[in-house]
Amino acid sequence: MDESRKLKTGDIQSIEEGSATSGRERQISPDTLLSAVANEHRRAILNAVIDASEKRLAYDVLVDRVADRVRDEDATRESDEHRQRVRIALRHTHLPKLKEARIIDYEAELDHVQFVGGELERNILALVEPYDVAQ
């Protein structure tokens, strides 16, 4: 990596421990954040949870909102089958990735998803939204 392009401390979002706007206790790198929002399903998850009251949704409600937003590649597929595929993808791929990045909090036993990210995530989503083909 070119020395002049190395990340500086200011290039990383700082989240203070105990912040009321975030459940994160560590910094998030730009690569982690961009990877987290690179997928259409994950953007749909974040938008749905951020738009919810209290930044929290029941898992089944989240599945419905993501399935409605994300187009099915096979237009002939039944909507129930599409929702089941979304449900599986969220549980096994997308929610764990967002949880690992500490953008959401998700516990399968509690059956809800909560946004714990900060302003940086909201800003990135707002920048990407006009270009999202799912709309």
Side-chain angles (χ1 to χ4, degrees), residues 70-101:
V70 175
R71 283 185 274 171
D72 192 356
E73 295 157 3
D74 182 357
T76 63
R77 188 175 288 139
E78 294 290 325
S79 66
D80 288 341
E81 184 179 345
H82 172 61
R83 287 196 186 321
Q84 184 61 23
R85 292 172 64 88
V86 168
R87 177 180 303 281
I88 291 167
L90 264 59
R91 187 168 306 267
H92 295 287
T93 304
H94 304 301
L95 292 175
K97 184 165 184 96
L98 291 171
K99 182 178 179 177
E100 182 181 325

Side-chain angles (χ1 to χ4, degrees), residues 55-72:
K55 309 293 183 234
R56 168 187 241 156
L57 280 177
Y59 178 72
D60 289 335
V61 173
L62 179 64
V63 169
D64 289 341
R65 291 190 184 173
V66 172
D68 288 343
R69 181 177 171 126
V70 175
R71 283 185 274 171
D72 192 356

